[in-house]
Amino acid sequence: MTQPNNSLTVTDNRTGTTYEVPIEDGTVRATAFRQMKVDESDFGLMTYDPAFMNTASCRSAITYLDGDNGVLEYRGYPIETLAEHSTYLEVAYLLVHGDLPNSAQLDEWTHQITIHTFVHENIKAFMQGFRYDAHPMGMLLASVGALSTFYPDATQIEDPHSRHIQTIRLIAKMPTLAAFAFRHCLGQPYNYPDNDLQYPGNFLGMLYKMTELKYEPDPRIERALDILFILHADHEQNCSTTAVRSVGSSQVDPYSAVAAGVGALYGPLHGGANEAVLRMLQRIGSREEVPAFIAGVKAGNERLMGFGHRVYKNYDPRARIIKSACDDVFEVTGTSPLLNIATELEKIALEDEYFVSRKLYPNVDFYSGLIYEALGMPMEMFPVMFAIPRTSGWIAQWLEMVSDPEQKISRPRQIYTGERGRSYVPLDQR
Ligand code: SDX
């Protein structure tokens, strides 16, 4: 919305020309600078923003972040309230549909997801083709992309029914694919979904069921997992969501777009950080070694994984909630010796000028790995645990992008730094 005086007056000192650039919603449109030329042959000014440090890529009504004050809201509801009162499936509905469901809507949503948890047997055969030691995130990346070959109707992205059924399928099948990957790592038979169980309990059953006829999840573990899923569901325009939106902007099917998100989340600076945190804590080895490690970080030889954030310049509200969920899980599983190292790291870092001056606080990944480790998961599964709930955020953002009249295929420009007009030299003369 443009108010009076809500504009920039820009003078191009190369030509002395002055321009009025409207300010809308705290931004100026980058295309407004194309008119600023030195002559008619000039392409015009572009904005340059590697890694999008200060660029809004879209309008979105899904997730609100206030990094300075550590605020996170899904569709306007504070994350603390949702973690305390909601369930992951209810939050997934909220992210996708924009409002909390009434009981009839939630029952139908839950029913639809429950009856779509199975995957085609060929997907199982596809996953069994991986090496015994394949990283489960690589397996998930590949199998989500493979789903696009089983649902060719997914290319009908203009069809609201097709968008709806792919949304259901992705949210429903992600835990099944994740659990298949986990069982593959262990060389154990894959478990099929049990539709009598709730979403987190069904996932636990597919992970851990052995010879018992009926897997019965521990309700404390099931609730802790549901809270973790709520906390990881969406986070506005993070790296993996940007990948989903950018790939999805080519009008490819949502499975291929979400597979791109899985690929981005795999990276150690993003969803792979929870695995990197555990490896870091194991490498530190004891509380006594923490000061030496911190010194290594300050010397630039180490990175304190699980700390820092592009948006949060305050404590990540999700880290605070996960830290308390640790206690609930450890009540069942017994505490982790790495917890003491983590709390000592946090204590020192929150007091040390190096971290304080850079506004580095624990993020969502700092404590989550301790819970997954306590649940007996191999570290390679940790980013997979992030991908399961983030699927609802990715698909909500994809749905918003495909319906946004302002969105076109993503195609940034560049600053060309290479050579021009070179003559080809025949091989025998080089
Ligand atoms: C997630 O975007 C999202 O919303 C992501 C996420 C989501 O829900 O989708 O929240 C999930 O990915 C959380 C982040 C998980 N990653 C990590 O924990 C990895 C460790 N953290 C970082 O590498 C880093 O903090 C990032 C990647 C998270 C943010 O990087 P930025 O914004 O590009 O910041 P930067 O690398 O430019 O750092 C600024 C300064 C630098 O120091 P100087 O060069 O100014 O001297 O802070 C330093 C960095 O060296 N710094 C760190 C640090 N993070 C930043 N120093 C030591 N340890 C760290 N963890």
Side-chain angles (χ1 to χ4, degrees):
M1 180 178 64
T2 306
Q3 292 152 357
N5 302 328
N6 217 349
S7 67
L8 292 182
T9 301
V10 178
T11 298
D12 185 342
N13 294 319
R14 300 171 298 175
T15 60
T17 308
T18 297
Y19 305 86
E20 283 298 310
V21 178
I23 295 172
E24 302 166 272
D25 301 310
T27 69
V28 290
R29 286 187 176 262
T31 47
F33 293 82
R34 282 287 298 281
Q35 62 183 318
M36 301 172 193
K37 304 176 182 229
V38 293
D39 58 39
E40 274 319 300
S41 67
D42 186 351
F43 177 81
L45 286 181
M46 293 192 288
T47 56
Y48 177 52
D49 188 9
F52 311 119
M53 299 288 283
N54 190 44
T55 293
S57 61
C58 63
R59 292 174 183 277
S60 179
I62 298 172
T63 293
Y64 174 76
L65 295 189
D66 173 346
D68 292 330
N69 297 301
V71 174
L72 167 56
E73 295 174 353
Y74 293 159
R75 298 287 190 178
Y77 292 91
I79 192 66
E80 295 82 359
T81 311
L82 294 171
E84 184 177 354
H85 300 293
S86 191
T87 64
Y88 168 68
L89 279 194
E90 182 176 80
V91 165
Y93 183 100
L94 171 67
L95 290 171
V96 167
H97 293 285
D99 292 306
L100 287 171
N102 61 34
S103 58
Q105 289 165 332
L106 183 58
D107 289 348
E108 177 57 16
W109 175 254
T110 303
H111 171 70
Q112 284 300 319
I113 286 167
T114 302
I115 64 174
H116 283 93
T117 49
F118 275 70
V119 294
H120 193 290
E121 282 293 285
N122 288 164
I123 285 279
K124 182 179 160 192
F126 169 78
M127 294 184 79
Q128 285 170 328
F130 281 92
R131 269 176 58 102
Y132 67 93
D133 59 353
H135 195 294
M137 200 62 172
M139 292 179 69
L140 188 70
L141 170 57
S143 46
V144 171
L147 283 178
S148 67
T149 67
F150 287 82
Y151 304 109
D153 57 318
T155 57
Q156 306 306 314
I157 63 172
E158 303 303 326
D159 174 359
H161 171 72
S162 174
R163 293 202 298 264
H164 173 72
I165 188 59
Q166 314 316 339
T167 296
I168 293 289
R169 283 170 174 155
L170 272 161
I171 293 172
K173 298 177 193 301
M174 202 57 96
T176 308
L177 298 177
F180 280 10
F182 173 73
R183 299 288 287 198
H184 185 87
C185 293
L186 300 177
Q188 292 173 355
Y190 297 6
N191 286 319
Y192 289 105
D194 176 348
N195 289 348
D196 294 337
L197 296 173
Q198 298 300 310
Y199 192 86
N202 176 39
F203 176 57
L204 289 168
M206 290 190 285
L207 289 177
Y208 299 125
K209 183 175 179 297
M210 295 308 281
T211 58
E212 66 272 36
L213 288 178
K214 193 80 175 168
Y215 179 83
E216 291 182 13
D218 182 307
R220 293 164 297 179
I221 301 290
E222 191 173 11
R223 180 57 192 155
L225 198 51
D226 212 28
I227 290 170
L228 282 169
F229 283 175
I230 289 170
L231 297 175
H232 285 83
D234 193 58
H235 215 241
E236 60 132 275
Q237 305 314 313
N238 57 83
C239 178
S240 54
T241 295
T242 301
V244 170
R245 279 178 168 264
S246 181
V247 168
S249 74
S250 71
Q251 297 190 353
V252 75
D253 67 271
Y255 300 100
S256 304
V258 168
V262 176
L265 193 68
Y266 197 173
L269 293 187
H270 191 12
N274 50 24
E275 177 181 350
V277 167
L278 251 290
R279 296 185 190 283
M280 173 187 75
L281 294 174
Q282 286 180 340
R283 202 152 49 81
I284 293 169
S286 69
R287 287 168 67 100
E288 293 70 29
E289 291 306 318
V290 167
F293 179 80
I294 291 282
V297 171
K298 292 160 71 173
N301 305 326
E302 297 279 359
R303 183 147 280 228
L304 183 50
M305 301 310 277
F307 261 67
H309 200 278
R310 175 65 56 77
V311 175
Y312 288 129
K313 302 308 171 190
N314 201 319
Y315 209 101
D316 184 332
R318 302 167 296 176
R320 204 185 305 281
I321 299 168
I322 290 176
K323 191 175 177 184
S324 67
C326 280
D327 303 337
D328 302 340
V329 170
F330 293 155
E331 192 182 293
V332 179
T333 63
T335 188
S336 159
L338 299 178
L339 179 64
N340 293 333
I341 301 173
T343 49
E344 182 68 9
L345 260 179
E346 178 185 1
K347 177 176 165 296
I348 294 178
L350 292 183
E351 294 162 358
D352 187 301
E353 181 51 27
Y354 175 92
F355 300 95
V356 173
S357 64
R358 290 170 174 78
K359 298 186 177 181
L360 301 177
Y361 293 88
N363 59 47
V364 68
D365 291 301
F366 189 63
Y367 284 106
S368 56
L370 291 172
I371 291 182
Y372 301 143
E373 184 213 30
L375 295 179
M377 283 184 199
M379 280 184 277
E380 294 78 8
M381 272 297 287
F382 295 3
V384 173
M385 295 301 291
F386 198 144
I388 295 171
R390 186 51 59 90
T391 299
S392 56
W394 286 332
I395 199 73
Q397 298 273 352
W398 175 80
L399 289 166
E400 187 176 65
M401 183 273 297
V402 295
S403 308
D404 181 343
E406 274 202 295
Q407 289 299 326
K408 301 158 66 85
I409 187 166
S410 290
R411 203 273 183 226
R413 309 305 298 253
Q414 64 175 11
I415 297 173
Y416 180 66
T417 58
E419 298 188 49
R420 297 287 316 283
R422 303 172 72 179
S423 303
Y424 184 81
V425 178
L427 183 59
D428 58 8
Q429 295 173 35
R430 287 180 223 155

